[in-house]
Amino acid sequence: MKPKRGKSAGRAPKPAYRPILLPALILTIALIIRTTSLTTFGPLYDEKITRDVVTGIWNGDWSNNWKGTVTNPDYRVDMYNFSSYMYADALLAGMASKLATRLPNGDPDFVYWSRLFSALAGTLAVFLFYLVARRWFLEDTATVAMALMAVIPLLVQDAHYARPEAFVLALTGAAYLFLLRFDSAPGRLRYLGYASFCFGLLIACKVSLIPMAAIPALFAGRLKDRRLLMRAAGICAGCMLVGVFVGVPDAFFHPAAYWHGVEFLRKQYAGVTLPHASIDSTNSVSLTAAYFWQTTGSLPAFSLAGAVLLAKARRFAVLAATAGPVVFYLAYFASQRTFFERNLSHVVPLMAILAALALTTVGQKSQPRRARRCSWRWSRWP
């Protein structure tokens, strides 16, 4: 008489490598998309600014002030915009361009290597936000979010330019991942410090990212132990301040010059900068809506549906960390007369995660009842 088989013998275990195959394939596709056509177009208007500042750094002008390096007379003013990115680009892309073959005129090809730096940073950002989504939701939601981020036009474009957006994306993804590591073990305050340092570098890059400082405060504010909360507040503030200093030291040494650059940017957005504004409008709501409809289709609608799912599940902390920055920056920049789509790049991965949540929830609800697994009900972070 043959012995009866146990229930566990009915199905063979899945190979350990299977869960990583699809994400690895998506990440490879993202890298290929981002590294294609980096040399098929000449230096763009903003890329010349990057080239000038990076060249100035290599020539010994460590202040990062546009006034002393930028050749375009319209921007040869006291300005420290993109400062932390300029330092990172000078270190990585600048070093590579110095070692590689030079241009026919003998100059280093800063623009190409800066574009490659953006392509790699943009691909890294896709992976980091995939890890963030995995910690919040199930694997299927994270994979769908990864696929969306790999092909969203704005993120692909950012990875082709010698501009700071891909760098900002990677820093934002790293900061969120550090915060989730901190939240899983609140006693490990070093992760809160790492995240706060990243947010400091973000603020040093773009002054418009100051409101993102609320994100680490949101995580730290959930601590129950008052003594631990006070330590966390000090670490958060201190590490963020260090990040700002490392990214833009002249903001501390020459605050008047730094503030002049901030005012320059504020007037640029408040005025009409053609072709990025409508002459007869006091805001850019129509331009913002048209841009996202033409480039992402129904993604904003699915993102809204994902936010509604989180609200219905009373997952307000996750809702604040994802939908909060999206709503704030959409509202703020849409209220300006001049529209630059790249100001919204850092919240697009959050939109993708929310949209993926809605898509996978719909897909799971359409399955037979036994197979349903509602991803929005599972998370390590309430």
Side-chain angles (χ1 to χ4, degrees), residues 66-78:
W66 292 18
K67 187 176 183 178
T69 55
V70 173
T71 54
N72 188 328
D74 294 336
Y75 291 95
R76 199 173 178 85
V77 297
D78 285 318

Side-chain angles (χ1 to χ4, degrees), residues 63-353:
S63 71
N64 236 353
N65 192 340
W66 292 18
K67 187 176 183 178
T69 55
V70 173
T71 54
N72 188 328
D74 294 336
Y75 291 95
R76 199 173 178 85
V77 297
D78 285 318
M79 173 88 75
Y80 297 89
N81 204 24
F82 311 155
S83 182
S84 57
Y85 161 74
M86 296 297 189
Y87 285 130
D89 190 65
L91 175 63
L92 300 174
M95 180 67 73
S97 65
K98 287 287 185 178
L99 298 175
T101 303
R102 293 178 175 247
L103 295 171
N105 62 3
D107 293 336
D109 191 0
F110 284 128
V111 171
Y112 167 74
W113 291 102
S114 295
R115 287 176 180 174
L116 183 59
F117 173 48
S118 291
L120 297 176
T123 305
L124 175 62
V126 171
F127 179 65
L128 291 174
F129 275 106
Y130 161 75
L131 296 179
V132 170
R134 275 192 63 179
R135 282 182 165 265
W136 269 331
F137 308 109
L138 290 175
E139 173 67 29
D140 52 357
T141 299
T143 303
V144 172
M146 191 184 203
L148 290 173
M149 289 184 284
V151 298
I152 289 176
L154 178 56
L155 302 186
V156 174
Q157 290 170 356
D158 289 341
H160 279 77
Y161 298 153
R163 278 183 53 92
E165 281 72 29
F167 171 76
V168 166
L169 277 177
L171 269 182
T172 306
Y176 269 82
L177 195 57
F178 282 135
L179 286 175
L180 289 174
R181 291 289 301 274
F182 158 70
D183 195 75
S184 65
R188 293 184 291 185
L189 294 176
R190 65 180 182 277
Y191 290 114
L192 178 64
Y194 300 155
S196 300
F197 179 77
C198 289
F199 280 112
L201 292 176
L202 287 171
I203 294 169
C205 185
K206 291 187 174 185
V207 70
S208 61
L209 295 176
I210 289 178
M212 291 295 287
I215 301 299
L218 170 67
F219 280 76
R222 300 177 64 247
L223 293 172
K224 305 299 183 183
D225 187 321
R226 183 168 181 175
R227 179 175 295 182
L228 192 61
L229 176 61
M230 296 303 294
R231 286 181 59 199
I235 290 174
C236 184
C239 291
M240 195 174 300
L241 195 62
V242 171
V244 175
F245 179 80
V246 170
V248 57
D250 264 26
F252 297 83
F253 298 136
H254 305 287
Y258 177 78
W259 188 249
H260 177 274
V262 173
E263 285 294 302
F264 182 92
L265 291 173
R266 188 187 64 79
K267 292 176 182 177
Q268 186 181 44
Y269 284 98
V272 176
T273 304
L274 298 177
H276 305 282
S278 299
I279 298 177
D280 57 349
S281 178
T282 59
N283 57 64
S284 57
V285 173
S286 60
L287 293 175
T288 304
Y291 174 81
F292 277 99
W293 170 250
Q294 293 169 9
T295 59
T296 64
S298 301
L299 178 71
F302 282 108
S303 299
L304 178 60
V308 171
L309 284 173
L310 289 175
K312 290 178 66 175
R314 303 184 65 81
R315 304 253 319 266
F316 298 119
V318 181
L319 181 64
T322 52
V326 174
V327 172
F328 173 82
Y329 282 100
L330 280 175
Y332 175 75
F333 283 112
S335 68
Q336 307 298 307
R337 296 190 70 180
T338 295
F339 169 68
F340 292 115
E341 70 278 6
R342 309 203 186 285
N343 288 317
L344 300 170
S345 295
H346 67 289
V347 299
V348 169
L350 300 176
M351 294 174 63
I353 291 174

